[in-house]
């Protein structure tokens, strides 16, 4: 699972820490899951006036088209017993990771990263795209994984 900033790092800013992730998503080596609300959040962020410098309408549309093509939209979970995120806006990410038992929640958000230890109890790895990339490269299996 990818939080909004990870998607932006991967598709808009071409962040080097998200390059391996971008390649894996494009090659369908990982399954990117999210909810309709997460997709709507991405669309909203791309439409913010300050984003226009990086994401003019045609680029924003291309990013959303890519998300629509690659993100597997799953139902938002009902109430979960997931750890509480200090930032209420980010709770949707840990809730889905917790309910879906997602293998990875990729983020650079400090509030979500603080939940890494608690999430490991559910076998969910909360880490940065760069840390994921290092782990991904270390794996020698070609099996698909969920992000």
């Amino acid at each position: 699972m990818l939080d909004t900033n990870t998607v932006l790092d991967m598709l808009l800013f071409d962040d080097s820490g998200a390059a391996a992730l971008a390649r894996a998503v494009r090659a369908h080596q990982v399954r990117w899951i999210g909810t309709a609300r997460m997709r709507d959040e991405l669309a909203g962020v791309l439409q913010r006036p300050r984003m226009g410098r990086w994401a003019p309408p045609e680029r924003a549309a291309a990013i959303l088209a890519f998300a629509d093509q690659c993100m597997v939209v799953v139902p938002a979970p009902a109430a979960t017993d997931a750890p509480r995120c200090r930032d209420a806006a980010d709770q949707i990410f840990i809730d889905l990771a917790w309910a879906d038992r997602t293998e990875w929640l990729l983020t650079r958000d400090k509030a979500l990263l603080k939940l890494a230890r608690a999430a490991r109890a559910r076998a969910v790895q909360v880490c940065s795209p760069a840390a994921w990339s290092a782990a991904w490269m270390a794996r020698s299996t070609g099996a698909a994984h969920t992000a």
Side-chain angles (χ1 to χ4, degrees):
M1 178 181 329
L2 315 176
D3 78 348
T4 303
N5 286 323
T6 297
V7 175
L8 294 175
D9 285 350
M10 181 178 75
L11 300 177
L12 180 62
F13 299 120
D14 298 320
D15 183 87
S16 62
L21 175 62
R23 286 190 301 274
V25 169
R26 284 186 178 99
H28 304 287
Q29 293 174 317
V30 295
R31 188 174 70 111
W32 169 16
I33 66 165
T35 63
R37 183 173 167 201
M38 291 172 189
R39 194 268 186 207
D40 291 345
E41 178 178 306
L42 175 61
V45 169
L46 287 168
Q47 292 173 2
R48 291 179 184 163
R50 69 175 188 226
M51 291 299 290
R53 183 170 109 191
W54 297 284
E58 62 278 354
R59 183 125 190 239
I63 289 168
L64 288 175
F66 182 85
D68 290 341
Q69 178 185 25
C70 293
M71 183 173 69
V72 177
V73 178
V74 298
T80 71
D81 59 345
R84 302 301 340 144
C85 187
R86 220 181 38 196
D87 183 347
D90 289 331
Q91 190 65 42
I92 61 173
F93 298 103
I94 192 67
D95 283 347
L96 181 58
W98 194 262
D100 194 65
R101 293 185 183 256
T102 302
E103 187 175 358
W104 301 94
L105 168 52
L106 305 183
T107 184
R108 287 185 304 110
D109 183 278
K110 290 178 184 176
L112 285 170
L113 289 170
K114 285 188 178 202
L115 300 176
R117 186 177 193 181
R120 277 194 298 272
R122 192 77 162 216
V124 175
Q125 300 297 315
V126 179
C127 66
S128 70
W132 177 88
S133 294
W136 178 256
M137 300 304 268
R139 287 185 176 193
S140 59
T141 66
H145 300 280
T146 302

